[in-house]
């Protein structure tokens, strides 16, 4: 894929393809922006004033059971050339907060350098916090320290 230098959406689609068949009984969806007929929004850590004008959230990839509050994995992907991580991290913290509206078990922030074939950053979030142990494990699995 490095020769093509694909956009983020293409990378996420490829990840979905690689995950196919790995989560039997679960749906793996891209840019899923609704819960039934309600647009997904996130209040995590925001005051009422900060909520004004806040757009809907659209996770890059989720593993969930459609129609139930059974949410396993939420993934935000960035290319290494895009250093704007704050929004993704906020979203992952809010979506993994167990007391929050979504309660995903795990959130993954994956930064990819397609040309180098590496993931220079990979962070794992559990219950709205960076999980250092899982982050270290994932970084080792992906072949390097971040």
């Amino acid at each position: 894929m490095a020769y093509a230098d694909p956009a983020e959406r293409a990378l996420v689609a490829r990840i979905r393809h690689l995950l196919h068949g790995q989560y039997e009984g679960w749906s793996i969806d891209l840019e899923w922006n609704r819960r039934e007929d309600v647009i997904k929004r996130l209040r995590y850590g925001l005051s009422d004033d900060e909520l004004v004008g806040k757009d809907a959230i659209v996770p890059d990839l989720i593993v969930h059971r459609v129609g139930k509050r059974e949410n396993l994995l939420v993934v935000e992907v960035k290319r290494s050339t895009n250093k704007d991580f704050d929004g993704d991290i906020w979203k992952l913290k809010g979506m993994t907060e167990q007391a929050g509206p979504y309660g995903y078990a795990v959130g993954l922030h994956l930064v990819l350098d397609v040309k180098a074939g590496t993931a220079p950053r990979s962070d794992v979030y559990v219950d709205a916090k960076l999980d250092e142990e899982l982050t270290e494990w994932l970084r080792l699995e992906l072949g390097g320290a971040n």
Side-chain angles (χ1 to χ4, degrees):
M1 260 177 49
Y3 70 91
D5 198 20
E8 182 181 304
R9 292 177 88 174
L11 294 171
V12 175
R14 180 69 177 150
I15 291 168
R16 182 186 186 275
H17 174 76
L18 294 170
L19 292 176
H20 181 74
Q22 300 298 312
Y23 296 95
E24 190 160 335
W26 296 85
S27 295
I28 303 171
D29 292 301
L30 307 179
E31 298 189 358
W32 196 271
N33 68 343
R34 294 184 179 273
R35 178 188 282 161
E36 297 176 12
D37 62 344
V38 178
I39 293 174
K40 284 188 176 186
R41 297 194 188 283
L42 192 57
R43 170 174 203 98
Y44 179 75
L46 297 177
S47 69
D48 288 340
D49 290 339
E50 291 170 315
L51 277 175
V52 175
K54 200 71 162 156
D55 290 331
I57 57 168
V58 183
D60 290 336
L61 183 143
I62 59 174
V63 179
H64 63 142
R65 290 208 167 107
V66 177
K68 300 178 182 180
R69 191 182 185 273
E70 295 179 27
N71 298 317
L72 184 62
L73 175 66
V74 56
V75 180
E76 288 294 325
V77 175
K78 281 285 187 262
R79 291 169 38 121
S80 61
T81 55
N82 183 345
K83 304 294 185 196
D84 185 17
F85 301 150
D86 291 345
D88 285 352
I89 292 168
W90 169 80
K91 193 184 314 179
L92 290 167
K93 286 180 175 181
M95 293 189 78
T96 61
E97 181 184 39
Q98 293 305 295
Y102 301 105
Y104 280 82
V106 177
L108 171 60
H109 187 238
L110 187 61
V111 178
L112 300 173
D113 183 333
V114 178
K115 288 185 177 185
T118 63
R121 182 171 174 172
S122 51
D123 298 320
V124 179
Y125 293 85
V126 175
D127 199 11
K129 295 178 188 75
L130 179 69
D131 186 302
E132 292 181 21
E133 188 174 319
L134 286 174
T135 294
E136 182 61 27
W137 171 83
L138 181 61
R139 290 175 179 179
L140 292 172
E141 288 293 310
L142 294 175
N146 295 288

